[in-house]
Amino acid sequence: MSRAKSDYTPPARDGVSPSTVALPHGTWATVLDYLCERIPAIAHAEWQQRMLQGDVLDAQGVALPPDAPYRAHTKVFYWRALPFEHAVPFQESIVFQDDYLLVADKPHFLPVTPKGRYVKETLLVRLKRQTGIDTLVPMHRIDRETAGLVAFTIQPTTRHAYQRMFSDKVVRKVYEAIAPVRADLELPLVRRSRLAESDRFMAMHEVPGEPNAETAIELLSLRDGLGHYRLKPVTGQKHQLRAHMNALGIPIVNDQIYPELWPALPLDMPPDFSRPLQLLAKTLAFSDPITGQERHFESRLRLNWRDD
């Protein structure tokens, strides 16, 4: 059975999948006119050059020239590109792969998906280049600063079944962290609170109201005023573990947001890779909704901690 033309998506280029732009009803004379208005961060001359290079395609995958007339109620594809990306000098690894699922170990500092100043230097793009699988989609996210396990679906037809496990809170996740120790804090404990975005850039904070975040916290060992913690999140709010540890007065070592935002480096300077956030997505466990098997994956990465 042939695929409908409207379902067409161009293949990835060097691991980067195309972005899609819908063309609404309007009076633009050319596609170029619309793209310049819709995405002004890309200059007119650059859009024109991309179209001359064949980097802007119509809904059937045909390259559009700069003078291509505007046609409403269709779409175009283009590939995100940055003039320069700083290399992230740490390597991911594949922990598990079958026909439906891929689980990878993400190093610190590597974003999961393209965003902002990162496109090719992301886990998703690196894995697409490595495996040649264009249909990879992350089942969940972890922060760029966090290391550890990230699971991806492979088949579009089974994607929803896997992603639903996270919304249904049936995936058992365990993290490890290094943070200060408070002698007056009784552990283990369960932190339940309501997290919301604060006025401070990127940061979450606790606010009054019905809890929407829950984390079990256990101290495994301690040394020189620092503790090695096991964290078990029940929910998956943005920055949940970092915000909960900060709220308890034990912010995770090398956290660039909590309790205070570290100064941002200029975009032309490489990031400081010398102080990784001491937070690791250690294990993922669940009952596979497709095969019925019990899955348990463990990161091979380690934090800067050694139990004597």
Side-chain angles (χ1 to χ4, degrees):
M1 183 176 179
S2 63
R3 179 183 56 195
K5 287 185 177 181
S6 61
D7 294 335
Y8 174 76
T9 299
R13 294 183 177 180
D14 197 22
V16 180
S17 294
S19 297
T20 306
V21 179
L23 305 186
H25 178 74
T27 58
W28 298 274
T30 65
V31 173
L32 176 60
D33 292 337
Y34 176 71
L35 290 174
C36 290
E37 182 175 323
R38 172 69 174 79
I39 311 175
I42 300 176
H44 180 280
E46 184 175 346
W47 275 124
Q48 190 172 43
Q49 183 61 32
R50 289 189 184 193
M51 298 179 90
L52 289 170
Q53 294 173 173
D55 291 340
V56 180
L57 310 182
D58 69 10
Q60 284 73 49
V62 178
L64 292 169
D67 61 351
Y70 186 85
R71 292 194 303 116
H73 311 302
T74 183
K75 60 186 175 183
V76 298
F77 302 100
Y78 76 97
W79 281 262
R80 283 193 65 201
L82 296 175
F84 175 77
E85 284 185 71
H86 292 289
V88 177
F90 308 106
Q91 189 63 39
E92 72 287 349
S93 64
I94 295 175
V95 174
F96 173 84
Q97 183 179 347
D98 66 6
D99 291 338
Y100 307 101
L101 183 67
L102 184 149
V103 181
D105 239 349
K106 184 187 84 67
H108 290 105
F109 302 107
L110 187 69
V112 174
T113 57
K115 185 178 181 181
R117 62 192 291 185
Y118 297 97
V119 175
K120 293 185 177 181
E121 287 297 293
T122 60
L123 180 62
L124 177 61
V125 171
R126 284 187 179 186
L127 290 173
K128 284 183 176 182
R129 286 203 306 262
Q130 180 180 344
T131 65
I133 302 173
D134 283 354
T135 53
L136 283 178
V137 172
M139 292 162 56
H140 60 120
R141 303 284 199 277
I142 61 175
D143 297 335
R144 181 180 72 88
E145 297 88 351
T146 304
L149 298 177
V150 183
F152 295 79
T153 62
I154 295 175
Q155 306 290 347
T157 55
T158 58
R159 184 173 300 151
H160 178 68
Y162 282 111
Q163 291 178 332
R164 189 174 58 198
M165 295 189 305
F166 286 86
S167 60
D168 290 346
K169 301 181 178 64
V170 296
V171 179
R172 301 178 297 281
K173 298 172 286 185
V174 177
Y175 287 70
E176 292 184 359
I178 298 173
V181 173
R182 273 182 50 194
D184 62 330
L185 187 64
E186 286 193 26
L187 295 169
L189 62 78
V190 175
R191 185 73 170 189
R192 296 184 184 91
S193 65
R194 185 166 191 82
L195 292 178
E197 291 190 0
S198 71
D199 294 334
R200 191 161 57 84
F201 178 68
M202 293 183 65
M204 303 289 286
H205 66 159
E206 294 185 330
V207 297
E210 183 71 20
N212 62 1
E214 179 178 334
T215 308
I217 302 171
E218 176 185 358
L219 180 62
L220 301 176
S221 59
L222 56 89
R223 183 174 67 241
D224 300 329
L226 291 177
H228 182 199
Y229 293 86
R230 178 183 291 135
L231 312 177
K232 296 180 180 179
V234 175
T235 53
Q237 296 295 325
K238 173 186 173 182
H239 291 183
Q240 177 176 317
L241 303 180
R242 299 163 70 176
H244 272 172
M245 294 292 279
N246 182 61
L248 290 168
I250 47 174
I252 298 171
V253 170
N254 293 336
D255 197 321
Q256 298 186 28
I257 299 177
Y258 305 92
E260 297 295 335
L261 183 66
W262 291 13
L265 294 174
L267 292 180
D268 59 346
M269 288 184 61
D272 180 2
F273 297 117
S274 66
R275 293 182 287 178
L277 176 71
Q278 292 302 289
L279 179 62
L280 173 67
K282 184 65 176 178
T283 67
L284 281 175
F286 53 87
S287 178
D288 194 303
I290 305 303
T291 68
Q293 294 176 280
E294 289 300 318
R295 302 292 196 187
H296 181 91
F297 305 109
E298 183 165 342
S299 173
R300 301 165 185 157
L301 301 174
R302 296 290 183 270
L303 297 176
N304 295 334
W305 185 271
R306 183 176 59 83
D307 290 315
D308 296 326

